[in-house]
Amino acid sequence: MRRTAVEDHGPVRYGPPLPLDGLPVLPELVSELARAADRADAEPVGGGPALLEAARGYWERRGTPAEPGRIVAGPGAPALLLALTAALGGDVLVPRPCAAWWAPYARLLGRPVFHVATPAECGGVPDPYALLETVRRVRDEGGDPRLLVLSVADDPTGTVAPPEVLHEAVEAAAGEGLHLVSDETWRDTLHTPQDTVLVSPSEMLPERVTVVSDLAGALLPTGWPAAVARFPASALGDDLHARVLDVLTALGARVAAPVAAAAAYALTEPEPVTARVAAAVHLHARVADAVHAVVVGAGGLALPPRAGRHLYADLGPLRTALAAHGVGDAQDLEDFLAARLGMPAPGGHRFGDELGALRVRLSTGMLLNGTDAQRTECLTSPAPLELPHVQRALVLLRSVFDDLRDDAQRWEPPR
């Protein structure tokens, strides 16, 4: 008998984590961490002066300045989003699909989470008409929608919302009195920054947008949890800042002192950091293009990735071929691809999509896995896709998807 409930398909309420970059840790970050390893004192809740000043300079260089008194640091973006959700109260709205870690923290607080459809050209932001209809419906049913979480550079889709699409969504949210949390974890990972315009919602609606950025997106290894948040320059922002600090204090949610030192160094963006970020983004862009070509070549659907180290594939067109392998929903697809590829391939149900939709997030970092020397070579090689260990991973990926394409063609009814 087919299982139809998400709860019957294993642990989907939490995770998966941010996609790994598949690269060695930058030596200069290791040195900063090591220099602070003997610190016995704790970093203050919300971040110490050096970390907050570094975050202030980071945002100032991006044209969105903030005083250190309007900035908070925490041990990863999930802790900050939990604190924000607790401080704001009310029901939460998120796009469908959305980052896997957004909804669980609202549910942990007993807050309803409502998914809103995204426009055809990108993920990360809600379709404005769908947003208005969802807010109306929730209020008609006695709900209290207060918070919209969105991301211009998106996980899981790897897309970047065009400014005009974002503007319509922000306008709709403002009209309904919603507070926005802009997850800008991936903003520094644009594959072609010269051809991609990224605008933060905080530039459009500065008085009602809080920005959150997990430094694991571009600046730190995923295992070194640190994130920063910037609050609006308004009375609402001051109140929210104070309440978030209260929640973080209650949780004891502090950035570890050695990690804080490495984070402060990374946020000042010295040359070793900017060079590594640029090289890593270029590398992941090339791998993402190759993965996108494999998926589309096999008959799957995927928007071209424009940021991050992942893309989101819809294998609905291959449903008949997948059914022959016992795959009938997103959890089955996750299990099937993870076994065939030897790497995590989280299904779309983990990102808020319907269980029956055959969607999956594929991460580029897993295709770079090898020894430290091999992974370092990926950064320096003029042809990283031709390196033996990367080529083997891509050949396996292509083989799995080509087999599905061939199976689909065999099962296709004659015209």
Side-chain angles (χ1 to χ4, degrees):
M1 185 171 118
R2 273 236 58 84
R3 301 168 296 177
T4 56
V6 170
E7 289 76 11
D8 295 336
H9 286 64
V12 300
R13 291 175 67 85
Y14 302 96
L18 292 178
L20 300 173
D21 69 1
L23 300 170
V25 179
L26 183 67
E28 286 81 0
L29 288 178
V30 175
S31 297
E32 291 295 324
L33 188 86
R35 271 196 288 271
D38 62 351
R39 279 182 52 185
D41 56 317
E43 187 80 358
V45 171
L51 180 53
L52 298 184
E53 177 58 26
R56 184 202 63 77
Y58 169 87
W59 274 310
E60 185 172 45
R61 290 189 294 276
R62 283 152 182 78
T64 52
E67 293 304 312
R70 299 189 185 278
I71 299 171
V72 161
L80 295 180
L81 185 59
L82 173 65
L84 281 161
T85 306
L88 283 162
D91 302 342
V92 180
L93 298 108
V94 296
R96 168 172 285 156
C98 70
W101 55 272
W102 289 357
Y105 295 94
R107 295 195 188 104
L108 186 66
L109 295 166
R111 303 284 166 72
V113 178
F114 298 93
H115 290 268
V116 185
T118 54
E121 59 264 54
C122 66
V125 301
D127 175 88
Y129 299 104
L131 176 63
L132 293 172
E133 175 58 24
T134 302
V135 170
R136 182 198 63 77
R137 176 174 55 80
V138 171
R139 286 179 175 150
D140 286 349
E141 294 173 357
D144 181 21
R146 295 189 196 176
L147 171 62
L148 169 64
V149 188
L150 47 71
S151 57
V152 182
D154 184 45
D155 172 18
T157 65
T159 59
V160 177
E164 62 275 13
V165 172
L166 176 65
H167 185 266
E168 291 177 356
V170 168
E171 214 171 40
E176 297 299 328
L178 302 177
H179 189 86
L180 279 67
V181 170
S182 176
D183 175 11
E184 300 186 4
T185 295
W186 301 103
R187 71 165 294 153
D188 294 325
T189 66
L190 301 185
H191 294 178
T192 54
Q194 67 277 12
D195 300 324
T196 307
V197 178
L198 186 150
V199 179
S200 170
S202 64
E203 299 176 61
M204 299 177 176
L205 191 68
E207 68 279 5
R208 297 196 69 86
V209 177
T210 298
V211 174
V212 172
S213 182
D214 198 305
L215 304 189
L219 298 176
L220 290 182
T222 54
W224 298 7
V228 288
R230 188 181 79 243
F231 296 88
S234 63
L236 171 66
D238 291 340
D239 183 53
L240 188 56
H241 175 266
R243 283 186 283 156
V244 164
L245 283 176
D246 286 343
V247 176
L248 294 176
T249 300
L251 294 173
R254 306 168 187 262
V255 183
V259 174
Y265 172 78
L267 282 165
T268 61
E269 298 181 290
E271 193 278 333
V273 170
T274 56
R276 165 57 75 88
V277 170
V281 169
H282 182 62
L283 171 62
H284 283 286
R286 296 175 73 171
V287 178
D289 285 344
V291 175
H292 181 260
V294 167
V295 171
V296 174
L301 304 173
L303 290 169
R306 295 286 181 252
R309 37 187 186 254
H310 48 272
L311 78 160
Y312 200 58
D314 182 351
L315 303 188
L318 302 173
R319 183 176 290 276
T320 303
L322 286 163
H325 294 279
V327 175
D329 58 33
Q331 180 65 55
D332 294 335
L333 179 61
E334 176 181 307
D335 296 340
F336 172 80
L337 288 178
R340 296 302 190 282
L341 298 174
M343 57 181 268
H349 59 306
R350 298 185 183 273
F351 307 100
D353 253 331
E354 297 295 339
L355 179 63
L358 296 179
R359 300 190 179 113
V360 62
R361 186 187 73 183
L362 299 172
S363 300
T364 55
M366 300 304 296
L367 299 172
L368 306 176
N369 269 348
T371 66
D372 280 352
Q374 287 173 326
R375 293 184 295 158
T376 300
E377 191 178 8
C378 290
L379 289 167
T380 57
S381 171
L385 303 189
E386 297 175 14
L387 295 174
H389 73 288
V390 178
Q391 197 171 57
R392 282 194 298 271
L394 286 172
V395 166
L396 175 59
L397 180 76
R398 190 174 297 110
S399 173
V400 170
F401 277 85
D402 284 353
D403 286 349
L404 289 175
R405 178 200 60 204
D406 295 344
D407 289 346
Q409 290 172 349
R410 272 196 296 273
W411 285 98
E412 193 174 273
R415 295 181 181 176

